[in-house]
Amino acid sequence: MNSKAAKGDWDSRIFDAINIALLVVFTLIIVVPLWNVLVSSFSSGRALAEGGFIFWPTELSLENYQAVFRDDGIWQAFFISVAKTLIGVITHVFFCAMVGYGLSKRYVRGRKFYVTMGVITMFFSGGMIPTYLLIKDLGMLNSFWVYIIPALLSFYDVIILMNFFRNVPDSLEESAKIDGGGDWRIFLSIFIPLSMPAMATIALFNGVGQWNDFMTTKLYITDQSLYPLQMMLYEIIVQSQTQSMQNAGSVVIETTTKGVQLATIVVTTLPIVVIYPILQRYFISGMMLGAVKE
Amino acid sequence: MAKTAEAPSATPAGTGAVLSSGKKPMGRRVKEFFVDFGRQWELQSMILPGVVFMFIFCYIPIYGLTIAFKSYTVIDTIDSAPWVGMDNFKIIMSDKYFWDSVVNTLGISFLKLAIGFVIPIILAIMIYEVSFGRFKKFVQTVSYLPHFLSWIVLGGMLITWFSTTGLFNQLLLSLGLISQPSNIMLDPNKYWWIATLSDIWKEAGWGTILYLAIMAKIDPTYYEAAKIDGASRLRQIWNITIPNMKMIISLNLILTVSGLLGSNLDQTLVLMNSQNREKAEVINSYVYRMGMTQGDFSYATAVGLGVSIVSVILLVTANKVTSKLNDNQSVL
C-alpha cells in the first residue's frame, strides 16, 4: 500500500503534501490543549489568573500539587480507584472467561437457551431506575462491592472470549482428556494460559472503563470514603463552577480551585497515560478479536 | 434456579440431536437431557453462575420496568405499587421539560451524526494514505489518546480551556479574532456545538481503528491496476477504498442511528451548569434528574422505557434502509 504513489508523479506528491499538512494540524488540535492542561497544572495561581500563556507558564510552581496531596481525601480516592480497578478487572475477566469457555462447547446442553438469554441482555436493559431499585434491594448502596459485582459479566466480552476459545486446536483438549483432566482443569491449566492475549485486551478495556467510571459512584454511593478519583474530580469541578458563578468578580477563589482542579485532572489521568503506550500494542489486535479469524 | 432456567430449553436443545434418529417420546428426551446435563456438570457449573448473574442483574430490572405503569413511591416494592395504566405516559406528552430534552438530544445527536460520523472515515483514509511509517504511527497514537480520558477529566479540561483566562480565549486574543475574553461554557446557544465538537475531539481518532483494519485487508493489486490506468489518488480512494468499506460504514451507521436518543449522560452531567441547562438537558440526564434527584421513579422509568422503544424502532428501520442500499444484504 505504500507504493501507491509513483515517484515523480506530481499530482500524487501534492496529494501527499496536503494530506500530511492536514494530519499535522489534526495532531496539533489534540496535543496543544493537552499540553496546555499539563503545563497549567504546574503554574502558580497568579500566573493562571492572569492567563496569557499557551505553551509555557510565566511562573512555574508546585503549589497546586502540594494543595492536592495535602488533602487526605485524594489518597483515599486513589486507593479506591486502584482497588476497584484491580479487583474489578480480575474478577470480570475470570468470570467472563469461565462462562465463555462453557459456552464455547457446542455440545453443551441448553446452549441455545443460554446464548439467547445473553444476547437479549445486549439489546435490552431495565435502565437506570429499575437497576437502582435492584441495587438498593440487594443492599449494595454505599458498599464497595457495587463497583465489582454488577460489573462481573458483559455478554460482549463473553462472546469475544468464546470465539477465541473456539480457535484453540481440539487436539490439545483431547490429549488432556486422555490424561484424565476434567473441564475445569483443562480450562484453568490449558485455556487460560493460551488465551492471555485475548484476556489482556478485555482486561485493558474493562480496566479503562473501571478507572474512568463515575456514574456508579454518582448513582449508588454517598459515602465519601468510597469515592474514587473521578468522583472527587467531579465534585471539584461542580464546586468550582458554582463558585465562579457566584463570585464572578473574585479572581482569587477561581484560581485556587482552578489550580487544584488542574492538578487533580493530571493525577487522575496519569495512570492511564503511563500505561497507554504499553497497552496500545494489544488493543488494535484486540479490536479484531471479535471479528472472523482468517 | 438451575432447574427452572433449564426446563424451557429442554425441547429446543433436544430437537437438534433427535431429528436424525427419528422421533423419540417427550419423556425420554427430557430424561436424556438431564443425563447429558449431569455428565456435563463441570461445564454447566461454569455457565450457570453467568445465567444466575444475568437473571438477577439484567432480567429483574427488565421486570422492574413495570413501575412505568405504576405509581411507585419509596414505601412500595415493585409488586405492591398500584397500577395506573398509561397515566405516566400521558403526563410525559404534556411535559414541557421532557420535550425540551428531546429537542436537545436530537439536536446534539444529529450534529454528532452529521459531522462526527464522516470525520473518522476521512481521517482513516488520510492516515491510510500516509506512506511514512513513523509519522503514521505517531498520528494514530496521538489520535487514540483522548478516547481514554473520562468525560469528567475532559469536562474539567474544557472548563479550563474555555475560562476567560484559558487557552481558547488566549488563542483567539493573540490571533486578534476577539477583543474581549468570554466564557462560552456559560452561553446556552453555544452548548450544542461544545457538546458535539468535544465529543468529536474525543472519539474521532478512536473511530478510525475499525476502518483502518478493514482497509488493511483491501487487495493492493486493485491500486496497482488503477495506477496503470492512470487514476489519481482521489479517484483511487473514491473507486476502491470507499466501496470496500461500504459494509462496515453501514454497520456503524445503524449502530449510531439506533443510539441517537441515548446521548452521553456523563458528558451532560459534567458540562451542564445552571446557565446552559435549557440547551444542555438531554433525555438521559432528565431521567437522572427526575428519578434520582426528585425521586419520581415511575415517571423517570416511563421516560426511559419510551426512549428504549424508540431506539429499537430506529435500529430496525436503519437496518432495513441500509440493507436496501447494500443490495438487500442485511448488515446485522
Side-chain angles (χ1 to χ4, degrees):
Chain A
M1 109 191 120
N2 293 344
S3 58
K4 257 174 289 169
K7 287 264 149 66
D9 180 346
W10 272 101
D11 279 358
S12 184
R13 280 200 187 169
I14 293 170
F15 178 93
D16 275 331
I18 297 174
N19 188 25
I20 289 178
L22 287 176
L23 284 175
V24 168
V25 171
F26 170 75
T27 9
L28 284 178
I29 291 175
I30 290 180
V31 172
V32 171
L34 291 178
W35 174 253
N36 181 262
V37 166
L38 183 67
V39 294
S40 301
S41 73
F42 286 102
S43 163
S44 72
R46 194 148 51 92
L48 267 182
E50 287 162 359
F53 66 87
I54 294 168
F55 296 108
W56 203 250
T58 38
E59 228 173 74
L60 273 172
S61 152
L62 284 174
E63 65 188 60
N64 300 324
Y65 287 93
Q66 280 162 349
V68 167
F69 288 123
R70 217 179 293 129
D71 184 356
D72 285 340
I74 195 121
W75 295 104
Q76 173 72 10
F78 194 85
F79 173 74
I80 293 286
S81 276
V82 171
K84 86 183 180 109
T85 304
L86 277 182
I87 300 173
V89 165
I90 293 168
T91 52
H92 173 86
V93 174
F94 183 80
F95 200 77
C96 290
M98 179 180 83
V99 178
Y101 180 75
L103 291 177
S104 74
K105 307 291 171 215
R106 288 184 202 277
Y107 54 81
V108 159
R109 283 291 183 158
R111 182 170 177 276
K112 223 178 190 171
F113 171 76
Y114 300 141
V115 172
T116 312
M117 191 178 173
V119 169
I120 290 174
T121 66
M122 291 162 61
F123 294 100
F124 296 96
S125 72
M128 187 190 298
I129 308 298
T131 310
Y132 172 81
L133 293 176
L134 170 75
I135 299 289
K136 198 179 101 187
D137 288 343
L138 290 175
M140 285 203 279
L141 293 185
N142 277 326
S143 144
F144 177 77
W145 298 107
V146 81
Y147 293 128
I148 310 297
I149 295 172
L152 269 179
L153 191 86
S154 132
F155 208 72
Y156 287 95
D157 293 351
V158 169
I159 289 181
I160 290 175
L161 286 167
M162 190 173 86
N163 284 331
F164 193 89
F165 291 140
R166 285 238 175 95
N167 286 311
V168 174
D170 288 339
S171 49
L172 269 174
E173 193 186 334
E174 277 156 24
S175 61
K177 278 239 163 96
I178 292 167
D179 292 344
D183 288 310
W184 268 106
R185 181 76 194 276
I186 295 170
F187 168 62
L188 292 174
S189 50
I190 297 180
F191 277 77
I192 288 217
L194 277 176
S195 314
M196 275 304 165
M199 300 209 298
T201 312
I202 288 170
L204 158 70
F205 285 115
N206 190 255
V208 172
Q210 268 283 10
W211 184 267
N212 281 344
D213 168 58
F214 101 114
M215 270 321 286
T216 309
T217 320
K218 187 122 171 72
L219 286 169
Y220 309 125
I221 305 278
T222 47
D223 177 358
Q224 293 217 2
S225 66
L226 288 170
Y227 277 9
L229 282 173
Q230 303 284 346
M231 189 64 190
M232 259 196 85
L233 179 60
Y234 176 77
E235 299 255 284
I236 294 173
I237 291 169
V238 172
Q239 214 176 44
S240 76
Q241 270 203 307
T242 37
Q243 272 183 359
S244 70
M245 264 177 271
Q246 281 161 355
N247 318 283
S250 162
V251 179
V252 186
I253 292 174
E254 199 182 330
T255 48
T256 34
T257 46
K258 193 173 165 185
V260 169
Q261 192 175 309
L262 283 164
T264 317
I265 286 174
V266 174
V267 173
T268 307
T269 317
L270 205 63
I272 284 189
V273 177
V274 169
I275 54 170
Y276 167 72
I278 309 166
L279 300 170
Q280 201 201 352
R281 228 176 316 139
Y282 289 99
F283 67 62
I284 299 181
S285 54
M287 287 289 284
M288 300 313 294
L289 275 179
V292 185
K293 275 267 149 63
E294 284 164 288
Chain B
M1 172 63 221
K3 283 253 162 70
T4 50
E6 261 324 289
S9 71
T11 343
T15 42
V18 170
L19 274 179
S20 52
S21 58
K23 293 185 182 72
K24 288 182 190 172
M26 183 69 174
R28 185 117 165 256
R29 266 191 272 158
V30 173
K31 199 181 154 197
E32 239 173 43
F33 177 87
F34 282 110
V35 171
D36 271 1
F37 192 88
R39 269 196 214 117
Q40 303 170 341
W41 68 269
E42 280 200 90
L43 287 173
Q44 297 288 351
S45 72
M46 295 176 176
I47 302 171
L48 288 176
V51 173
V52 173
F53 178 94
M54 288 192 286
F55 180 77
I56 295 175
F57 285 98
C58 307
Y59 287 90
I60 292 181
I62 290 177
Y63 169 71
L65 282 172
T66 52
I67 67 167
F69 305 96
K70 293 184 168 189
S71 162
Y72 179 95
T73 52
V74 213
I75 48 162
D76 287 311
T77 65
I78 290 171
D79 289 317
S80 75
W83 291 94
V84 293
M86 301 299 284
D87 280 7
N88 290 315
F89 293 91
K90 281 180 197 142
I91 305 171
I92 292 175
M93 289 301 144
S94 55
D95 177 355
K96 179 189 171 295
Y97 295 105
F98 168 73
W99 291 108
D100 280 354
S101 74
V102 170
V103 170
N104 290 331
T105 309
L106 289 176
I108 295 167
S109 297
F110 276 116
L111 282 179
K112 281 182 186 170
L113 181 65
I115 314 170
F117 188 75
V118 197
I119 286 184
I121 300 175
I122 298 173
L123 196 59
I125 293 173
M126 285 168 68
I127 294 175
Y128 178 61
E129 291 290 334
V130 172
S131 43
F132 180 33
R134 275 220 189 127
F135 179 68
K136 191 176 190 157
K137 198 106 211 213
F138 176 72
V139 174
Q140 281 184 281
T141 305
V142 169
S143 71
Y144 299 156
L145 186 60
H147 171 80
F148 290 93
L149 307 176
S150 70
W151 268 112
I152 310 309
V153 163
L154 188 53
M157 289 180 176
L158 284 166
I159 289 162
T160 320
W161 293 332
F162 291 133
S163 74
T164 48
T165 53
L167 176 70
F168 182 73
N169 278 301
Q170 294 304 329
L171 272 177
L172 292 186
L173 277 175
S174 58
L175 292 172
L177 291 173
I178 52 166
S179 54
Q180 197 66 39
S182 65
N183 189 342
I184 63 168
M185 291 293 293
L186 302 179
D187 182 351
N189 294 321
K190 302 242 165 60
Y191 180 82
W192 285 12
W193 289 104
I194 294 175
T196 305
L197 295 176
S198 61
D199 185 68
I200 293 172
W201 186 86
K202 187 175 187 297
E203 304 296 344
W206 187 249
T208 64
I209 290 190
L210 261 186
Y211 296 128
L212 282 166
I214 297 297
M215 281 189 272
K217 286 187 181 152
I218 300 176
D219 187 347
T221 53
Y222 289 151
Y223 293 105
E224 307 283 337
K227 221 177 356 181
I228 292 165
D229 289 347
S232 69
R233 296 276 289 277
L234 283 171
R235 216 137 202 123
Q236 292 176 26
I237 292 171
W238 189 251
N239 288 338
I240 303 171
T241 316
I242 293 184
N244 270 294
M245 297 201 297
K246 229 166 109 187
M247 206 66 176
I248 193 80
I249 291 177
S250 321
L251 176 67
N252 251 353
L253 192 64
I254 294 172
L255 295 177
T256 318
V257 168
S258 65
L260 272 185
L261 295 181
S263 228
N264 200 321
L265 178 60
D266 286 30
Q267 182 191 26
T268 311
L269 283 183
V270 69
L271 294 182
M272 186 161 65
N273 55 49
S274 57
Q275 310 272 311
N276 63 19
R277 181 175 295 272
E278 51 167 320
K279 288 283 182 182
E281 187 94 89
V282 292
I283 302 172
N284 279 344
S285 65
Y286 187 61
V287 171
Y288 176 81
R289 194 153 63 89
M290 291 309 285
M292 303 305 299
T293 57
Q294 302 193 10
D296 198 341
F297 288 137
S298 280
Y299 188 72
T301 308
V303 174
L305 179 59
V307 170
S308 320
I309 292 170
V310 177
S311 297
V312 172
I313 296 172
L314 282 176
L315 179 77
V316 174
T317 320
N319 186 36
K320 278 234 168 80
V321 172
T322 45
S323 71
K324 277 251 158 60
L325 297 177
N326 276 315
D327 316 319
N328 284 324
Q329 260 185 299
S330 172
V331 180
L332 283 186

